[in-house]
Amino acid sequence: MRSIVLTALFFSFLTTVHSQSQVSFVESFSNISESNGIIEIELTISEPVSDDAQISVEVIDPSTANETHFTFAGETLNFAAGSSGVIVLSIPILDNFSDDPEVFFTLSLSNPVNCTIGSGKTHFAFIQDDENFVISPSNTVSLDFLNSYTVDAGGSAEIVAYDPSSQHLFVLNSVATRVNVLDFHDPSNITEIGFIDMSSFGIGATSVAVSNGLVAATVQGADYGPGTVVFFDVDGQFINSLQVGVLPDMIVFTPDGKSVLIANEGEPAMDYVVDPEGSVSRIDINGDASILSQEDVITIDFQGFNDQKEALISAGVRIFGLNSSVSQDLEPEYITVSQDGLKAWVSLQENNALAELDLTTNEIVSIIPFGLKDHSLPENVIDVSDRNDEIFLANWNLKGMYMPDAIANYTIGGTTYVVTANEGDQREYGVIDEDVQVKSNSYVLDPVAFPSGDLLKKDQLLGRLVVSPYSGDTDGDGDFDEIHAFGARSFSIWNSETHELVYDSGSDFERITSLDSEFGGLFNANNTSNGIKNRSDNKGPEPEGVTVSQIGGRFYAFITLERVGGVMTYDVSNPESPIFVDYDNSRTIDGAGGDLGPEGIIYISTNQSPMGVGLVVVANEISSTVSVFAVSNNTACFADFDSSGMVDSGDFLFLLGSYGCASDCGDADLTEDGQITIDDVLVFLSSVGANCGGVLGAN
């Protein structure tokens, strides 16, 4: 048995008999690094005890720490008559010298004799792991910040599209109901050409896309009426307009530019008196948008799933609108189209599901639930409270709903994968309001699943976490057997054929941002202030946008983080094992400035770039800015086999000499697949001309 150390800081001895003294913890929680060795926790005796007194301190649930983290089996504290003031409880903390999720334990006061327990009955001790789980960037490509341009100081910038023929950027400005047109000939000196006023077509602009010199933008209709797609040329001259579904939230061209698809979200009225159907509109342009008529608009709805409501709910699709049918409840958010133009996938964000669209028949063929992310697993640690002073990435008995906003796709090895930015977005429609915290009195935790639920509801634990009151009651008895939080704070890769989750970035985003040398002090900050952790209780960094592009023979995913800001870059060439490449952020650390609230993101390839180098362009909603990054392909010089400082013919001869190698192929194996094939030749050709003695070329 160890002997606990009690240090009396102040004792008062009085002969007068007082009312019974209260013993309390001074603070409700404390933080300590495991390398500190000792945690000191203060208790207070409110006034001199009238007689010899005692109280027990014990470890109770919820606690995730165990005997490998600290040494304390519980103690009975004895106080002589007349004792009062503050005492210090010292508990040894053990350093296990390994990368582990952070843990905590809960102390509770009990069994008082000749005293009472005051308001501070419990204390949470949070133990920070000092072996930081560092995810090192590969830097195979790097994003070099070039410029930030303010689109409209009183407006917004949510979606950006680029036309290579005119070298114009088109930026959706929903606040002003317009599309701003920018001259992008010189990305370091962007200027405005003008804007396309959308106000005569509806009450709020929602999306914009461009292909083959044709601009298509969407606008919401008034009073839950049909929305409108408006076509312009790249100089902003009106061509045509057509009605589509209710609340067209996103528009995209097919890769060949011959059709547009529109995700019609169909959100309900706040009182659900009106609840439009969600749908997808398709318009085949056939070369001349000016001759299009309303008959050319194809509406693809979900009515064929109305009789499958219970089966979809059982499978995990979130359908819970007020007396809503399946087709009314589903809310299409974003669309990505396969490269061959035969399929499209539609994110149903609020429903935590993905719809697959057959473009040969114009039918929704399946609705696939994304499922839940288990935050009790070591790879899925999460920071859940904005009321703990320190970053605390720990495991919890809760599940995240992926609920992606933007999605993208790419094909490798004959398989197409769907990539999702797992934002999470709760419904707040008045009669259906998901903005509920765990500590809410209406959110009752099941006593079997959460035996210490009353303490989990404390602010420093799960109390302030925003969760859904419309899922998690798995047995239908009125309380919650599972806690379902919004979003997964990650990006994921899904096999489009099997619908299986191939990869999820786990806790990468929070780990990377927490340890960032420049922006770590803005961990889980909002996009309107620089307060650290003020989004920990609600979706964290909030991944919003994603695009996937092939650069130098490899595939890269670029993901925007709407709250803390910046772009995460991953090499996704191996879908089962992506590699973190880089994190870049262009907001300011002194006050909430710079580029805030990144949403839409595009990649401009070398052959379409006005600079001759690849560019990443981001639309930042809150700051109403467009930020531009030059992409340097640092892998190009892997092909400089002879270290001449240039990728040239000498290196090509070396590669040809290794062609056909089937194992242990050395440096010539540029694709790192264990053999030298035509794929390595293609990667090499994309690297030819790279200057490896100076600034690297971009591809």
Side-chain angles (χ1 to χ4, degrees):
M1 282 291 289
R2 55 176 291 275
S3 176
I4 191 165
V5 180
L6 296 177
T7 306
L9 301 182
F10 175 73
F11 290 98
S12 173
F13 299 95
L14 299 176
T15 57
T16 306
V17 175
H18 293 272
S19 59
Q20 202 166 45
S21 299
Q22 292 186 341
V23 180
S24 300
F25 288 106
V26 174
E27 301 290 345
S28 61
F29 71 98
S30 56
N31 290 283
I32 192 74
S33 170
E34 65 178 358
S35 61
N36 278 30
I38 292 286
I39 184 171
E40 296 184 334
I41 300 169
E42 294 183 341
L43 298 89
T44 182
I45 306 172
S46 62
E47 55 186 287
V49 293
S50 58
D51 203 347
D52 291 348
Q54 65 180 34
I55 198 167
S56 297
V57 182
E58 58 183 338
V59 179
I60 63 169
D61 286 331
S63 293
T64 57
N66 56 39
E67 65 275 4
T68 68
H69 303 105
F70 71 109
T71 303
F72 183 66
E75 294 286 347
T76 297
L77 310 183
N78 295 289
F79 314 111
S83 299
S84 68
V86 176
I87 60 173
V88 175
L89 180 65
S90 297
I91 298 176
I93 302 297
L94 308 178
D95 192 337
N96 58 12
F97 301 102
S98 63
D99 289 330
D100 291 318
E102 290 170 328
V103 294
F104 74 98
F105 60 91
T106 304
L107 297 178
S108 178
L109 300 178
S110 63
N111 303 319
V113 176
N114 293 330
C115 61
T116 60
I117 299 173
S119 58
K121 180 181 180 180
T122 55
H123 181 92
F124 305 119
F126 298 99
I127 304 175
Q128 261 83 34
D129 190 79
D130 62 353
E131 286 82 30
N132 288 324
F133 189 90
V134 178
I135 304 172
S136 299
S138 70
N139 294 316
T140 49
V141 299
S142 56
L143 271 59
D144 305 315
F145 178 70
L146 284 181
N147 188 22
S148 178
Y149 175 80
T150 300
V151 176
D152 178 359
S156 62
E158 296 176 46
I159 305 296
V160 61
Y162 172 68
D163 175 59
S165 60
S166 63
Q167 296 183 340
H168 289 175
L169 286 180
F170 300 88
V171 184
L172 181 81
N173 183 345
S174 64
V175 171
T177 314
R178 63 176 57 164
V179 175
N180 290 75
V181 185
L182 308 180
D183 186 337
F184 200 59
H185 283 85
D186 180 2
S188 63
N189 185 30
I190 302 170
T191 58
E192 181 167 280
I193 296 171
F195 61 85
I196 301 169
D197 186 358
M198 303 284 289
S199 60
S200 62
F201 300 98
I203 61 172
T206 55
S207 187
V208 64
V210 62
S211 180
N212 299 329
L214 180 65
V215 181
T218 51
V219 62
Q220 180 180 355
D223 299 322
Y224 301 95
T228 302
V229 173
V230 189
F231 295 99
F232 300 88
D233 66 21
V234 293
D235 295 317
Q237 297 300 308
F238 173 78
I239 295 175
N240 204 345
S241 66
L242 299 169
Q243 285 191 344
V244 290
V246 176
L247 186 54
D249 200 44
M250 188 267 181
I251 187 167
V252 62
F253 281 88
T254 53
D256 60 10
K258 294 180 180 180
S259 303
V260 290
L261 298 174
I262 303 100
N264 304 307
E265 194 164 9
E267 289 184 352
M270 296 296 283
D271 56 7
Y272 267 83
V273 171
V274 180
D275 186 7
E277 291 185 340
S279 65
V280 175
S281 296
R282 175 176 180 168
I283 304 171
D284 294 329
I285 299 164
N286 297 320
D288 188 355
S290 67
I291 63 173
L292 293 172
S293 69
Q294 198 59 41
E295 294 180 353
D296 294 304
V297 179
I298 301 171
T299 299
I300 304 167
D301 59 39
F302 295 87
Q303 291 180 7
F305 294 89
N306 281 342
D307 61 355
Q308 301 178 38
K309 184 173 182 178
E310 294 306 317
L312 289 170
I313 292 173
S314 296
V317 180
R318 304 178 76 235
I319 301 173
F320 57 97
L322 188 63
N323 300 317
S324 300
S325 66
V326 171
S327 56
Q328 289 175 311
D329 199 75
L330 298 181
E331 298 183 13
E333 183 79 23
Y334 206 94
I335 302 172
T336 183
V337 185
S338 64
Q339 192 60 40
D340 60 14
L342 300 180
K343 287 184 179 181
W345 295 271
V346 186
S347 64
L348 307 171
Q349 184 172 27
E350 286 79 4
N351 311 103
N352 195 32
L354 183 74
E356 182 179 319
L357 171 58
D358 186 337
L359 293 177
T360 65
T361 61
N362 293 324
E363 292 180 330
I364 304 292
V365 295
S366 60
I367 299 172
I368 306 106
F370 283 115
L372 301 169
K373 179 172 177 173
D374 188 350
H375 286 293
S376 70
L377 299 177
E379 63 269 24
N380 294 336
V381 295
I382 184 175
D383 189 291
V384 296
S385 176
D386 60 345
R387 297 301 169 88
N388 183 336
D389 297 336
E390 301 291 337
I391 297 169
F392 191 71
L393 294 170
N395 289 126
W396 298 93
N397 182 14
L398 68 93
K399 293 182 170 133
M401 300 176 288
Y402 292 93
M403 301 178 71
D405 187 330
I407 58 177
N409 80 89
Y410 69 111
T411 300
I412 191 166
T415 301
T416 299
Y417 298 90
V418 175
V419 184
T420 60
N422 303 318
E423 178 194 23
D425 188 18
Q426 61 263 44
R427 284 177 167 169
E428 297 178 76
Y429 297 151
V431 296
I432 300 289
D433 190 347
E434 292 193 271
D435 198 10
V436 173
Q437 293 179 314
V438 171
K439 69 178 179 181
S440 170
N441 289 334
S442 64
Y443 193 81
V444 180
L445 295 173
D446 181 86
V448 176
F450 303 98
S452 50
D454 57 333
L455 290 175
L456 286 174
K457 284 174 167 278
K458 299 293 186 181
D459 284 352
Q460 290 77 28
L461 300 188
L462 296 177
R464 290 183 53 79
L465 184 67
V466 178
V467 295
S468 175
Y470 290 94
S471 62
D473 180 8
T474 59
D475 56 12
D477 64 353
D479 57 26
F480 293 93
D481 312 280
E482 295 180 349
I483 298 173
H484 292 176
F486 296 101
R489 309 189 185 196
S490 63
F491 85 99
S492 301
I493 301 176
W494 311 80
N495 185 308
S496 70
E497 297 297 328
T498 66
H499 307 146
E500 292 177 331
L501 176 64
V502 175
Y503 170 82
D504 182 79
S505 62
S507 54
D508 279 14
F509 291 173
E510 285 188 292
R511 288 193 182 278
I512 292 165
T513 54
S514 70
L515 296 175
D516 188 86
S517 59
E518 184 174 1
F519 295 98
L522 300 182
F523 173 79
N524 281 355
N526 205 342
N527 49 30
T528 55
S529 69
N530 280 12
I532 187 171
K533 284 169 60 76
N534 57 16
R535 292 294 296 186
S536 287
D537 60 337
N538 192 359
K539 294 175 280 190
E542 209 163 320
E544 170 92 3
V546 61
T547 189
V548 178
S549 300
Q550 190 170 13
I551 305 172
R554 302 190 70 80
F555 287 93
Y556 292 90
F558 302 97
I559 307 106
T560 59
L561 305 182
E562 183 180 8
R563 296 297 173 170
V564 67
V567 178
M568 289 283 179
T569 304
Y570 276 72
D571 182 338
V572 294
S573 303
N574 181 349
E576 295 181 354
S577 185
I579 300 168
F580 169 56
V581 175
D582 201 8
Y583 171 59
D584 300 273
N585 198 335
S586 52
R587 74 182 287 173
T588 60
I589 57 176
D590 298 323
D595 297 308
L596 301 170
E599 290 207 16
I601 183 169
I602 59 173
Y603 173 75
I604 302 174
S605 62
T606 302
N607 61 346
Q608 294 188 334
S609 167
M611 294 179 61
V613 299
L615 299 173
V616 167
V617 184
V618 181
N620 303 282
E621 179 185 13
I622 301 302
S623 57
S624 188
T625 56
V626 168
S627 47
V628 184
F629 299 85
V631 181
S632 295
N633 180 9
N634 302 329
T635 63
C637 289
F638 292 168
D640 182 20
F641 304 124
D642 58 9
S643 301
S644 67
M646 183 71 68
V647 179
D648 53 20
S649 58
D651 302 297
F652 187 58
L653 292 174
F654 177 86
L655 179 63
L656 289 181
S658 303
Y659 195 84
C661 173
S663 64
D664 298 325
C665 300
D667 293 342
D669 183 13
L670 294 173
T671 58
E672 299 179 353
D673 62 356
Q675 55 188 337
I676 309 299
T677 66
I678 188 63
D679 292 335
D680 299 285
V681 175
L682 293 175
V683 172
F684 177 86
L685 292 176
S686 70
S687 304
V688 170
N691 177 4
C692 302
V695 178
L696 298 176
N699 293 277

